[in-house]
Amino acid sequence: MFWETLFIYLFWMSLIGGIPVSARMLYIYIEDRFIEYKKSEYSKTQKFVILRIFPPQINESSIHQMEGFFEAMWSIFRERTPFKLLTLGRSFENLTFEFHSKGGFVAIFVRINSINQEVLIKQLTERFPGIQIVEYPDPFANLPKDWNRKGEYEQIFASDFKPVEIETGKETDLFPLKSWKEYQTKDKVPISDPAAQLFGFLQSIDPKSYVVLQFITRPMYIQKQIQKWKSEYEKRKKEFLGEQNLKLSKIQKAASTTNTQKKILNDITRKINSLNYLCKIRAIAMAKKGVNISSLENMIMSYFVQFNTEMIKMRKQPDTQSDAGPEGKGPSALGPIMAMFFEKIYWERERYFREKMVYQGMIKRNIDIGSPYYYLDVESLASMIHFPYISQKDFVRQNLKTYTDAEKTKKVELLFNPKPLSNLLE
């Protein structure tokens, strides 16, 4: 009798309690399907365009102007309210920046929804006098739709890049990358310029190679993520200082027993109080047979090293890097025979799969393909995505150097001069 009574009791409890739970799950499912349908219908009516940016030949604007640009572009997405998402299907959209180099000929491209095209052009031309922005054919149009190690390019290095905590090696977006303020003070000449280093590397690659750095960004307000960062901030502060109940909105700078700890806490505060973008960063280097692909990878790595801080660094994302291997771990560590065995049955296929995956993500400019995305603040983005600082003296000196080198002159003109408009891939 006891077990029968208990069974009946549990049955009715599960039935009565299960009704609201089931109803809630059904509602979430229907809402999710409906939103996906509205977003799909909305996306069919939108036109995305490719813009090519010709940087100013003389650019003495502060990198701070790029931070202002990202803040301005972030603000246009405020109208993506839940109401408009349910009624119109208007969701957040990607803003993609790409740096291309085909054999040393460099070009900058942006992909954006055409309804925001005028805003982007206005924001950049106001901040960077002399900049030229034009609609342009998709530079990926002449590349194969799928990667198969055949055709013009037979080798590839491909990987997503993500921030990781140096001490633990764990992927995290709690800490910001190096701010542009660490490269430049106000409107003065930069102490060092990551963009100049990037363009120099891109112009020096082997003529038989093609390199793409792709930054897919999505302006978003992230209340849940900010709360998560605040909670983690409290833990770090308690660890460093033994203090609790910090009210971030009322703190200007956190006291610390060391300068490093002080900077760590202030950097996290900066991230919390900043506008943030959802991000996916990819690097692809393709080359013909005979080219040393490792040298291209090393150049790419040297670019990302510039943005490392005391707590965080940019690293190849382990699940997407195409040069992955056992590295002495797992069964292959048992000996050369086992290493060769696992190389043949697993790693060769795994590397090919990763090459295809990252390549596909690049061609489609898809933020969901590959590793999980993360958030970067506008100061970090500005330090990574900006135009090289070129003073009047630099411009004259550059012209004198390139005037005697026909090949170099051609590369410089392609990057800075929009006339005539020649396709990068021709």
Side-chain angles (χ1 to χ4, degrees):
M1 178 65 71
F2 169 79
W3 293 111
E4 181 180 352
T5 304
L6 179 61
F7 174 79
I8 295 173
Y9 175 78
L10 292 175
F11 171 78
W12 283 107
M13 285 293 294
S14 62
L15 179 62
I16 296 173
I19 291 175
V21 173
S22 300
R24 174 63 177 169
M25 292 179 64
L26 180 62
Y27 171 79
I28 292 174
Y29 175 79
I30 293 175
E31 181 185 44
D32 182 66
R33 294 300 90 203
F34 179 74
I35 288 175
E36 288 301 316
Y37 167 76
K38 297 296 289 186
K39 287 168 64 176
S40 175
E41 292 299 306
Y42 171 77
S43 64
K44 292 177 183 178
T45 66
Q46 303 307 297
K47 177 188 176 185
F48 281 80
V49 295
I50 303 295
L51 305 176
R52 181 170 175 187
I53 298 177
F54 295 88
Q57 293 184 327
I58 299 175
N59 177 34
E60 297 180 319
S61 300
S62 170
I63 305 176
H64 177 244
Q65 294 295 338
M66 208 64 195
E67 179 189 352
F69 163 78
F70 281 114
E71 288 178 343
M73 295 305 295
W74 191 95
S75 66
I76 69 176
F77 288 86
R78 289 179 179 174
E79 63 182 30
R80 304 302 197 262
T81 61
F83 175 76
K84 290 194 174 183
L85 177 62
L86 289 169
T87 56
L88 302 177
R90 297 193 68 175
S91 183
F92 298 99
E93 296 157 353
N94 297 336
L95 172 63
T96 303
F97 283 84
E98 295 172 353
F99 298 90
H100 291 233
S101 176
K102 185 176 183 182
F105 292 90
V106 183
I108 308 171
F109 296 100
V110 176
R111 182 180 183 270
I112 190 171
N113 192 326
S114 59
I115 62 176
N116 299 321
Q117 179 178 348
E118 290 186 11
V119 177
L120 179 140
I121 294 175
K122 180 176 182 294
Q123 291 295 331
L124 286 178
T125 52
E126 286 181 352
R127 288 176 165 80
F128 300 96
I131 195 172
Q132 298 292 322
I133 305 171
V134 297
E135 286 195 39
Y136 208 79
D138 188 344
F140 293 142
N142 294 335
L143 290 177
K145 300 302 180 186
D146 294 295
W147 175 254
N148 55 16
R149 295 178 178 172
K150 299 177 182 178
E152 183 177 5
Y153 302 107
E154 300 177 42
Q155 303 182 76
I156 191 172
F157 161 73
S159 183
D160 293 347
F161 278 76
K162 296 192 70 174
V164 299
E165 188 172 357
I166 294 174
E167 184 177 352
T168 63
K170 294 181 179 179
E171 297 175 357
T172 178
D173 54 11
L174 172 65
F175 311 98
L177 297 171
K178 192 175 290 184
S179 168
W180 65 267
K181 296 176 182 177
E182 299 191 46
Y183 303 104
Q184 184 180 31
T185 303
K186 296 183 179 180
D187 295 328
K188 296 181 180 180
V189 177
I191 302 168
S192 63
D193 187 357
Q197 194 259 24
L198 173 63
F199 281 57
F201 134 57
L202 291 176
Q203 288 181 332
S204 67
I205 68 171
D206 191 289
K208 298 178 181 179
S209 57
Y210 193 157
V211 172
V212 178
L213 295 185
Q214 186 177 77
F215 299 81
I216 303 179
T217 69
R218 181 183 296 173
M220 290 190 71
Y221 181 68
I222 43 170
Q223 184 61 43
K224 289 184 179 179
Q225 188 68 16
I226 289 174
Q227 292 300 326
K228 180 180 177 181
W229 289 338
K230 286 183 177 181
S231 176
E232 185 63 27
Y233 179 93
E234 295 284 357
K235 294 179 183 178
R236 300 280 175 166
K237 183 171 174 59
K238 183 178 179 180
E239 176 187 343
F240 291 159
L241 311 174
E243 297 181 13
Q244 300 184 44
N245 301 320
L246 174 66
K247 296 182 179 179
L248 291 171
S249 60
K250 297 182 180 180
I251 291 296
Q252 296 296 318
K253 287 189 175 181
S256 176
T257 54
T258 69
N259 289 333
T260 300
Q261 291 174 343
K262 176 180 178 180
K263 187 176 185 305
I264 292 170
L265 294 176
N266 287 336
D267 281 353
I268 300 175
T269 303
R270 175 190 119 202
K271 182 78 172 271
I272 291 171
N273 294 328
S274 175
L275 300 179
N276 289 274
Y277 280 66
L278 200 67
C279 294
K280 173 71 66 68
I281 299 177
R282 295 188 179 98
I284 307 282
M286 299 173 287
K288 298 180 181 179
K289 186 178 295 185
V291 175
N292 183 3
I293 198 76
S294 296
S295 65
L296 298 176
E297 177 185 352
N298 292 336
M299 289 181 178
I300 292 170
M301 295 299 298
S302 69
Y303 168 69
F304 284 111
V305 163
Q306 299 176 96
F307 310 108
N308 296 348
T309 68
E310 296 87 347
M311 291 297 295
I312 200 169
K313 66 178 181 179
M314 290 295 288
R315 186 187 69 182
K316 293 179 288 186
Q317 206 282 330
D319 295 332
T320 60
Q321 64 182 89
S322 62
D323 60 343
E327 299 178 350
K329 300 176 183 179
S332 59
L334 298 177
I337 296 178
M338 290 296 292
M340 186 181 301
F341 176 72
F342 278 95
E343 172 69 20
K344 289 294 183 183
I345 68 167
Y346 177 75
W347 283 111
E348 284 187 2
R349 292 180 174 83
E350 176 66 15
R351 282 192 289 269
Y352 186 42
F353 168 77
R354 295 180 184 193
E355 290 172 7
K356 293 173 72 69
M357 175 179 63
V358 181
Y359 180 88
Q360 193 66 213
M362 177 191 73
I363 293 293
K364 293 184 176 181
R365 298 181 173 91
N366 190 307
I367 199 170
D368 296 308
I369 294 178
S371 61
Y373 31 70
Y374 48 93
Y375 296 95
L376 291 179
D377 61 290
V378 290
E379 286 188 28
S380 297
L381 281 173
S383 70
M384 302 183 82
I385 306 173
H386 63 271
F387 311 116
Y389 185 95
I390 303 175
S391 66
Q392 181 71 44
K393 290 183 179 180
D394 292 334
F395 175 69
V396 174
R397 192 181 304 115
Q398 183 185 71
N399 280 355
L400 289 174
K401 286 184 178 180
T402 58
Y403 185 74
T404 57
D405 187 338
E407 183 68 15
K408 183 68 174 176
T409 302
K410 188 177 178 183
K411 290 180 179 180
V412 171
E413 288 179 347
L414 181 66
L415 175 60
F416 292 99
N417 187 6
K419 297 179 182 180
L421 293 175
S422 58
N423 194 323
L424 176 69
L425 298 179
E426 293 179 348

